[in-house]
Short mmCIF file of all heavy atoms in Angstrom, two decimals:
data_model
loop_
_atom_site.label_atom_id
_atom_site.label_comp_id
_atom_site.label_asym_id
_atom_site.label_seq_id
_atom_site.Cartn_x
_atom_site.Cartn_y
_atom_site.Cartn_z
N GLU A 872 0.86 -1.17 -0.02
CA GLU A 872 0.01 -0.05 -0.03
C GLU A 872 0.94 1.18 -0.02
O GLU A 872 2.03 1.26 0.46
CB GLU A 872 -0.88 0.08 1.16
CG GLU A 872 -1.91 -1.10 1.28
CD GLU A 872 -2.96 -0.96 2.33
OE1 GLU A 872 -2.83 -0.02 3.07
OE2 GLU A 872 -3.91 -1.77 2.32
N VAL A 873 0.31 2.29 -0.59
CA VAL A 873 1.01 3.62 -0.46
C VAL A 873 0.04 4.57 0.03
O VAL A 873 -1.05 4.80 -0.37
CB VAL A 873 1.22 4.12 -2.11
CG1 VAL A 873 1.93 5.48 -1.91
CG2 VAL A 873 2.18 3.17 -2.75
N HIS A 874 0.38 5.02 1.25
CA HIS A 874 -0.47 5.85 2.14
C HIS A 874 -1.84 5.30 2.20
O HIS A 874 -2.87 5.97 1.97
CB HIS A 874 -0.50 7.29 1.45
CG HIS A 874 0.84 7.96 1.36
ND1 HIS A 874 1.34 8.59 2.36
CD2 HIS A 874 1.77 7.97 0.36
CE1 HIS A 874 2.61 9.16 2.06
NE2 HIS A 874 2.83 8.77 0.88
N GLY A 875 -1.91 3.97 2.49
CA GLY A 875 -3.22 3.28 2.68
C GLY A 875 -3.93 2.97 1.41
O GLY A 875 -5.07 2.40 1.42
N VAL A 876 -3.44 3.19 0.20
CA VAL A 876 -3.98 2.86 -0.95
C VAL A 876 -3.32 1.64 -1.65
O VAL A 876 -2.06 1.74 -1.95
CB VAL A 876 -3.96 4.04 -2.08
CG1 VAL A 876 -4.58 3.64 -3.32
CG2 VAL A 876 -4.51 5.32 -1.43
N PRO A 877 -4.07 0.56 -1.86
CA PRO A 877 -3.35 -0.63 -2.44
C PRO A 877 -3.04 -0.40 -3.85
O PRO A 877 -3.72 0.24 -4.63
CB PRO A 877 -4.53 -1.66 -2.37
CG PRO A 877 -5.55 -1.12 -1.33
CD PRO A 877 -5.49 0.32 -1.52
N GLU A 878 -1.87 -0.87 -4.29
CA GLU A 878 -1.40 -0.76 -5.70
C GLU A 878 -2.14 -1.68 -6.68
O GLU A 878 -2.35 -1.28 -7.75
CB GLU A 878 0.03 -1.00 -5.74
CG GLU A 878 0.90 -0.04 -4.98
CD GLU A 878 2.25 -0.60 -4.64
OE1 GLU A 878 2.52 -1.77 -4.82
OE2 GLU A 878 3.20 0.11 -4.09
N SER A 879 -2.48 -2.79 -5.98
CA SER A 879 -3.09 -3.84 -6.78
C SER A 879 -4.52 -4.29 -6.12
O SER A 879 -4.58 -4.55 -5.05
CB SER A 879 -2.25 -5.04 -6.89
OG SER A 879 -2.94 -6.17 -7.50
N GLY A 880 -5.57 -4.16 -6.97
CA GLY A 880 -6.91 -4.43 -6.46
C GLY A 880 -7.37 -5.89 -6.69
O GLY A 880 -8.30 -6.37 -6.10
N PHE A 881 -6.73 -6.44 -7.69
CA PHE A 881 -7.23 -7.94 -8.08
C PHE A 881 -7.19 -8.81 -7.01
O PHE A 881 -8.15 -9.69 -6.85
CB PHE A 881 -6.42 -8.45 -9.24
CG PHE A 881 -6.88 -9.81 -9.62
CD1 PHE A 881 -8.07 -10.00 -10.42
CD2 PHE A 881 -6.10 -10.80 -9.28
CE1 PHE A 881 -8.59 -11.30 -10.70
CE2 PHE A 881 -6.59 -12.19 -9.60
CZ PHE A 881 -7.69 -12.37 -10.34
N ALA A 882 -6.09 -8.88 -6.18
CA ALA A 882 -5.91 -9.80 -5.15
C ALA A 882 -7.11 -9.76 -4.17
O ALA A 882 -7.26 -10.70 -3.22
CB ALA A 882 -4.60 -9.64 -4.49
N ARG A 883 -7.83 -8.75 -3.93
CA ARG A 883 -8.92 -8.63 -2.94
C ARG A 883 -9.94 -9.74 -3.25
O ARG A 883 -10.52 -10.16 -2.31
CB ARG A 883 -9.54 -7.22 -3.10
CG ARG A 883 -8.54 -6.11 -2.69
CD ARG A 883 -9.22 -4.75 -3.06
NE ARG A 883 -8.17 -3.67 -3.20
CZ ARG A 883 -8.40 -2.59 -3.79
NH1 ARG A 883 -9.61 -2.30 -4.29
NH2 ARG A 883 -7.43 -1.63 -3.81
N VAL A 884 -10.24 -10.07 -4.47
CA VAL A 884 -11.09 -11.09 -4.80
C VAL A 884 -10.51 -11.92 -5.92
O VAL A 884 -10.63 -11.50 -7.14
CB VAL A 884 -12.61 -10.51 -5.35
CG1 VAL A 884 -13.58 -11.70 -5.47
CG2 VAL A 884 -13.23 -9.66 -4.29
N SER A 885 -9.77 -12.88 -5.55
CA SER A 885 -8.90 -13.60 -6.59
C SER A 885 -9.69 -14.76 -7.18
O SER A 885 -9.14 -15.25 -8.26
CB SER A 885 -7.59 -13.99 -5.96
OG SER A 885 -7.83 -14.72 -4.80
N GLU A 886 -10.57 -15.45 -6.57
CA GLU A 886 -11.16 -16.64 -7.03
C GLU A 886 -12.36 -16.39 -7.84
O GLU A 886 -13.10 -15.40 -7.71
CB GLU A 886 -11.39 -17.61 -5.91
CG GLU A 886 -10.23 -18.09 -5.21
CD GLU A 886 -10.57 -19.15 -4.08
OE1 GLU A 886 -11.87 -19.26 -3.96
OE2 GLU A 886 -9.68 -19.73 -3.60
N PRO A 887 -12.78 -17.31 -8.84
CA PRO A 887 -13.95 -17.21 -9.61
C PRO A 887 -15.17 -17.47 -8.63
O PRO A 887 -14.92 -17.94 -7.58
CB PRO A 887 -13.88 -18.35 -10.63
CG PRO A 887 -12.42 -18.66 -10.66
CD PRO A 887 -11.81 -18.44 -9.36
N GLY A 888 -16.25 -16.83 -9.08
CA GLY A 888 -17.46 -16.95 -8.28
C GLY A 888 -18.23 -15.75 -8.52
O GLY A 888 -17.79 -14.77 -9.14
N LYS A 889 -19.42 -15.61 -7.81
CA LYS A 889 -20.35 -14.57 -7.96
C LYS A 889 -19.78 -13.19 -7.52
O LYS A 889 -20.02 -12.19 -8.02
CB LYS A 889 -21.69 -14.88 -7.38
CG LYS A 889 -22.37 -15.98 -8.11
CD LYS A 889 -23.80 -16.11 -7.40
CE LYS A 889 -24.56 -17.22 -8.03
NZ LYS A 889 -25.91 -17.46 -7.56
N ALA A 890 -18.92 -13.33 -6.50
CA ALA A 890 -18.16 -12.23 -5.95
C ALA A 890 -17.26 -11.49 -6.94
O ALA A 890 -17.19 -10.37 -7.05
CB ALA A 890 -17.43 -12.54 -4.72
N GLN A 891 -16.71 -12.29 -7.94
CA GLN A 891 -15.88 -11.85 -8.97
C GLN A 891 -16.76 -11.00 -10.03
O GLN A 891 -16.36 -9.99 -10.49
CB GLN A 891 -15.19 -12.97 -9.70
CG GLN A 891 -14.17 -12.56 -10.59
CD GLN A 891 -12.95 -11.96 -9.91
OE1 GLN A 891 -12.58 -10.76 -10.02
NE2 GLN A 891 -12.22 -12.79 -9.12
N ALA A 892 -17.99 -11.54 -10.29
CA ALA A 892 -18.81 -10.90 -11.32
C ALA A 892 -19.40 -9.66 -10.63
O ALA A 892 -19.67 -8.66 -11.34
CB ALA A 892 -19.97 -11.88 -11.74
N GLU A 893 -19.59 -9.57 -9.33
CA GLU A 893 -20.44 -8.58 -8.70
C GLU A 893 -19.52 -7.45 -8.24
O GLU A 893 -19.97 -6.34 -7.85
CB GLU A 893 -21.25 -9.12 -7.65
CG GLU A 893 -22.29 -9.91 -8.10
CD GLU A 893 -23.07 -10.69 -6.96
OE1 GLU A 893 -22.57 -10.70 -5.79
OE2 GLU A 893 -24.05 -11.51 -7.18
N ARG A 894 -18.22 -7.63 -8.17
CA ARG A 894 -17.34 -6.71 -7.61
C ARG A 894 -17.24 -5.43 -8.52
O ARG A 894 -17.41 -5.54 -9.75
CB ARG A 894 -15.83 -7.25 -7.41
CG ARG A 894 -15.20 -7.60 -8.61
CD ARG A 894 -13.94 -8.28 -8.45
NE ARG A 894 -13.01 -7.50 -7.55
CZ ARG A 894 -11.61 -7.68 -7.46
NH1 ARG A 894 -11.20 -8.72 -8.25
NH2 ARG A 894 -10.79 -7.01 -6.85
N PRO A 895 -16.98 -4.25 -8.07
CA PRO A 895 -16.93 -3.05 -8.93
C PRO A 895 -15.63 -2.97 -9.66
O PRO A 895 -14.58 -3.51 -9.07
CB PRO A 895 -17.08 -1.82 -7.93
CG PRO A 895 -16.50 -2.50 -6.63
CD PRO A 895 -16.99 -3.91 -6.51
N LEU A 896 -15.48 -2.51 -10.83
CA LEU A 896 -14.38 -2.46 -11.55
C LEU A 896 -13.41 -1.40 -10.87
O LEU A 896 -12.32 -1.57 -10.81
CB LEU A 896 -14.57 -2.01 -13.03
CG LEU A 896 -13.45 -2.08 -14.02
CD1 LEU A 896 -12.89 -3.47 -14.16
CD2 LEU A 896 -13.82 -1.42 -15.34
N VAL A 897 -14.09 -0.30 -10.37
CA VAL A 897 -13.29 0.73 -9.68
C VAL A 897 -13.97 0.84 -8.29
O VAL A 897 -15.20 1.06 -8.23
CB VAL A 897 -13.37 2.03 -10.45
CG1 VAL A 897 -12.75 3.24 -9.54
CG2 VAL A 897 -12.76 2.03 -11.84
N GLY A 898 -13.22 0.61 -7.28
CA GLY A 898 -13.68 0.75 -5.89
C GLY A 898 -12.61 0.51 -4.86
O GLY A 898 -11.45 0.27 -5.24
N THR A 899 -12.88 0.92 -3.74
CA THR A 899 -11.91 1.02 -2.58
C THR A 899 -11.67 -0.53 -2.17
O THR A 899 -12.34 -1.43 -2.63
CB THR A 899 -12.36 1.72 -1.40
OG1 THR A 899 -13.59 1.21 -1.02
CG2 THR A 899 -12.72 3.28 -1.73
#
């Protein structure tokens, strides 16, 4: 993280599943 901002967002939801489809493209 840089000042609390993650550089990479993909790892927050990495597995296939409905969560992958429903996650926002841009989001905290």
Side-chain angles (χ1 to χ4, degrees):
E872 295 189 356
V873 179
H874 301 277
V876 180
E878 296 158 353
S879 170
F881 176 76
R883 301 170 195 162
V884 182
S885 58
E886 291 186 354
K889 291 183 180 179
Q891 192 69 247
E893 295 169 355
R894 69 187 301 197
L896 191 65
V897 177
T899 62

